[in-house]
Amino acid sequence: MSNVTFLSGEKIPLEMHKVRMVQKISLPPVEQRASSMEEAGYNTFLLKNRDVFLDMLSDSGVNAMSENQYAAMLQADDSYAGSETFYRLEKVLQDIFGMKYFLPAHQGRACENIIAKTLVAPGSVALMNYHFTTTKAHITLMGGAVEEIIGDEGFKIQSTAPFKGDIDIDKLNEAIKRIGKEKISFVRVEAGTNLVGGQPVSMRNIREVSHICRKEGLKLVFDASLLADNLYFIKTREAEFKDVEIINITREIASLSDIVYFSARKLGAARGGAILTSDDGLHVKMRELVPLFEGFLTYGGMSVREMEAMAVGLRETMDMDVVSQTPIFIEALCNELLAKGIPVVTPPGGLGCHIDAWKFCEHIPQTEYPSGALAAAIYIASGVRGMERGTLSEQRGEDGIEHLAEMELVRLAVPKRVFTLSQIKYVADRLTWLFAHRHLIGGLEFVEEPKVLRFFFGRLKPIGNWPEQLVRQFRKDFGESL
Ligand code: F0G
């Protein structure tokens, strides 16, 4: 994907692919959207996909696949043990990452389970730029704790720092001194740091962190689930890599890490997961857990068809036209919103456009879940499904007290090569309307609150009749339009 300049001087992101297979979607009228949202307990996870116009909940498992990926799926070799498919995928992974061993798992969190079971002892601490929900859950399940050492810039919604996912080296050194290296289970770097707005990590930072880990004898675990976008940012924001091929950037990252793992629902545009290492000892320990939790060592819970798609998808990811599409679309969406004064995380990162719900809904206290309310309001206003990333995604303490999130965001994910530019423009238009009527949006309260992962299954209701008022205003402004 590249930005091309039109005669008017306007810069337009131009797709470097054509669409050869499509799926019909529909846009239900606003009244129906409001009742679907009510039925779903004001939780976008509980909406049915058939009621959704643009599904921007996640990029997980919903990126567009290429013709070559589909073709490869037909050649999959099904076998409980020793399938050709496994060896083909292994070869691709070894080539791309330059690591010795590949262990398959059914998705990213399954890799995290195996890594946590191997490295986390009760009472130990895992240091990381920032946690991801499933990562933290597996570490705490093993009796470990997570400490976040991202630079302060990572918490600033608006910033010009190019690599807001970077680890703060002073915080890393201080934590090692304070905790003691024998109590540190591992150091984890997450590419394209998900929960701070898809913000990238620089190669400079990965090199420094790796150097400290090697000096101190600590294991460096690299979560490459969001590597594709991060590769684009290293290439475009770090001068040294301007002319370096992205496969070589990938190889350098892997050479600096002891373990690389990823969700192939994201990286490689398929479904599945992979753990890579060159460390003989770690390989042997982790290998024992694969048949126990995932499946035999040559499939690890994945279907061979998905493994073939993953092999091709990973090769295709090592291409600037492929890795640039999501970040450039996100940048286009963020810039349209910023021009209308709508607060979003800047600089635009990967994964999706992240709206600052705190600011958007200044009048809603955090205990009434402004991000959850905004996600529900966006769906009602547009049929677009986003994801709450704020206090609702936190877990209530044992004492019943809310754990207030550091940021209140709504993520509008941009799956790879799925949406067109007019659809992106539609999102910007409806958000602009909603922003003008933001005072109509009210808070939410729980009706059913699960103890763990409440954001997945929890059901809520609006405080007051704000959804109705929103529908009324929509009809007033848009007439018969959907
Ligand atoms: N690590 C990161 C950085 C992720 O973003 C995810 C998933 C995982 C690990 C777990 O992978 O889903 O295959 O088990 N993120 C998805 C999302 C769920 O919507 O952001 P998984």
Side-chain angles (χ1 to χ4, degrees):
M1 163 103 28
S2 26
N3 273 316
V4 295
T5 309
F6 280 11
L7 263 179
S8 61
E10 194 185 355
K11 274 205 161 101
I12 295 287
L14 196 62
E15 293 85 348
M16 289 296 144
H17 58 266
K18 60 181 180 180
V19 179
R20 295 178 55 212
M21 193 190 283
V22 295
Q23 179 181 354
K24 188 169 160 37
I25 48 176
S26 62
L27 176 55
V30 66
E31 293 80 8
Q32 198 178 318
R33 301 197 293 262
S35 69
S36 299
M37 197 68 260
E38 189 183 359
E39 244 172 70
Y42 293 87
N43 180 349
T44 55
F45 276 99
L46 300 182
L47 283 167
K48 295 192 177 100
N49 207 22
R50 63 164 178 259
D51 296 324
V52 171
F53 176 48
L54 303 178
D55 189 8
M56 303 180 93
L57 185 74
S58 178
D59 64 335
S60 177
V62 292
N63 296 299
M65 297 210 303
S66 70
E67 55 184 345
N68 292 323
Q69 283 182 287
Y70 282 113
M73 288 173 94
L74 294 176
Q75 297 172 347
D77 178 31
D78 241 326
S79 147
Y80 185 82
S83 96
E84 266 311 296
T85 293
F86 173 81
Y87 296 109
R88 271 198 284 272
L89 176 57
E90 181 182 56
K91 195 157 172 285
V92 169
L93 284 164
Q94 285 168 338
D95 178 49
I96 291 177
F97 291 91
M99 292 180 116
K100 227 159 117 183
Y101 304 111
F102 155 49
L103 295 170
H106 77 273
Q107 65 182 90
R109 66 200 70 182
C111 303
E112 290 169 342
N113 175 40
I114 289 167
I115 294 166
K117 282 200 160 59
T118 305
L119 292 176
V120 176
S124 65
V125 180
L127 301 175
M128 57 192 69
N129 47 352
Y130 207 71
H131 79 279
F132 184 69
T133 48
T134 54
T135 326
K136 191 172 174 175
H138 281 295
I139 291 168
T140 48
L141 212 60
M142 291 302 295
V146 163
E147 189 172 316
E148 285 149 348
I149 49 172
I150 197 168
D152 294 339
E153 209 63 33
F155 293 116
K156 288 191 193 142
I157 301 268
Q158 260 149 24
S159 162
T160 52
F163 291 101
K164 282 164 70 179
D166 277 357
I167 280 183
D168 183 320
I169 298 298
D170 291 338
K171 286 188 196 170
L172 173 62
N173 283 322
E174 186 279 326
I176 296 172
K177 228 190 230 157
R178 173 169 39 84
I179 300 165
K181 54 189 172 193
E182 61 295 334
K183 285 200 79 179
I184 295 172
S185 48
F186 57 86
V187 176
R188 172 176 171 275
V189 174
E190 182 182 306
T193 328
N194 192 328
L195 297 189
V196 299
Q199 295 294 319
V201 181
S202 65
M203 181 70 89
R204 183 163 164 256
N205 193 247
I206 303 167
R207 282 177 182 158
E208 274 185 279
V209 171
S210 171
H211 177 73
I212 293 169
C213 287
R214 296 221 159 128
K215 194 175 76 191
E216 302 285 354
L218 295 169
K219 298 290 182 214
L220 179 56
V221 175
F222 189 85
D223 180 346
S225 305
L226 298 172
L227 179 65
D229 298 338
N230 207 126
L231 287 168
Y232 168 80
F233 291 121
I234 288 179
K235 195 155 160 79
T236 54
R237 293 182 186 172
E238 234 174 327
E240 180 190 340
F241 296 95
K242 192 170 158 278
D243 299 318
V244 178
E245 284 191 37
I246 61 175
I247 192 166
N248 291 330
I249 304 177
T250 308
R251 285 179 186 145
E252 178 170 351
I253 291 173
S255 76
L256 296 166
S257 312
D258 296 291
I259 294 176
V260 172
Y261 78 94
F262 61 88
S263 165
R265 299 178 63 83
K266 291 174 176 272
L267 185 66
R271 287 138 204 95
I275 305 175
L276 306 160
T277 187
S278 295
D279 184 311
D280 296 321
L282 279 177
H283 170 241
V284 169
K285 277 197 201 154
M286 293 190 289
R287 187 176 59 182
E288 288 172 5
L289 300 170
V290 175
L292 206 54
F293 291 100
E294 299 302 307
F296 190 68
L297 280 172
T298 55
Y299 71 92
M302 287 185 273
S303 93
V304 281
R305 274 159 287 282
E306 291 296 348
M307 291 166 77
E308 292 286 356
M310 184 173 158
V312 174
L314 285 167
R315 275 229 184 279
E316 290 178 347
T317 299
M318 297 293 117
D319 174 347
M320 202 50 182
D321 278 342
V322 174
V323 298
S324 59
Q325 195 269 331
T326 298
I328 290 181
F329 260 41
I330 292 168
E331 190 182 20
L333 177 54
C334 288
N335 286 345
E336 285 221 21
L337 296 177
L338 287 167
K340 302 280 163 45
I342 299 170
V344 297
V345 171
T346 56
L351 178 56
C353 167
H354 293 75
I355 303 165
D356 180 0
W358 210 320
K359 244 189 157 169
F360 201 111
C361 297
E362 264 170 336
H363 54 291
I364 303 177
Q366 262 192 300
T367 47
E368 293 178 12
Y369 314 120
S371 318
L374 180 57
I378 290 173
Y379 172 74
I380 295 170
S382 64
V384 171
R385 164 155 76 163
M387 186 189 287
E388 193 272 0
R389 294 271 91 154
T391 297
L392 237 159
S393 295
E394 298 285 335
Q395 199 159 310
R396 195 185 283 275
E398 285 298 325
D399 47 10
I401 292 174
E402 278 286 3
H403 189 282
L404 301 178
E406 268 143 327
M407 289 191 249
E408 292 287 346
L409 304 176
V410 172
R411 177 179 90 179
L412 298 176
V414 179
K416 290 170 183 51
R417 298 191 283 186
V418 169
F419 299 129
T420 62
L421 199 55
S422 50
Q423 289 170 333
I424 294 290
K425 280 180 177 292
Y426 167 84
V427 177
D429 182 78
R430 290 307 194 249
L431 273 167
T432 305
W433 175 82
L434 191 60
F435 189 61
H437 298 290
R438 62 190 181 279
H439 59 277
L440 289 179
I441 308 170
L444 296 174
E445 61 184 324
F446 268 105
V447 178
E448 277 174 48
E449 184 180 348
K451 260 196 147 58
V452 283
L453 299 173
R454 61 182 186 175
F455 62 96
F456 278 142
F457 330 108
R459 301 185 72 84
L460 302 101
K461 65 172 189 190
I463 299 172
N465 71 343
W466 63 263
E468 258 168 65
Q469 293 182 37
L470 209 57
V471 171
R472 217 170 296 139
Q473 186 69 43
F474 185 96
R475 276 287 163 246
K476 204 167 138 207
D477 295 342
F478 290 107
E480 291 300 298
S481 171
L482 294 170

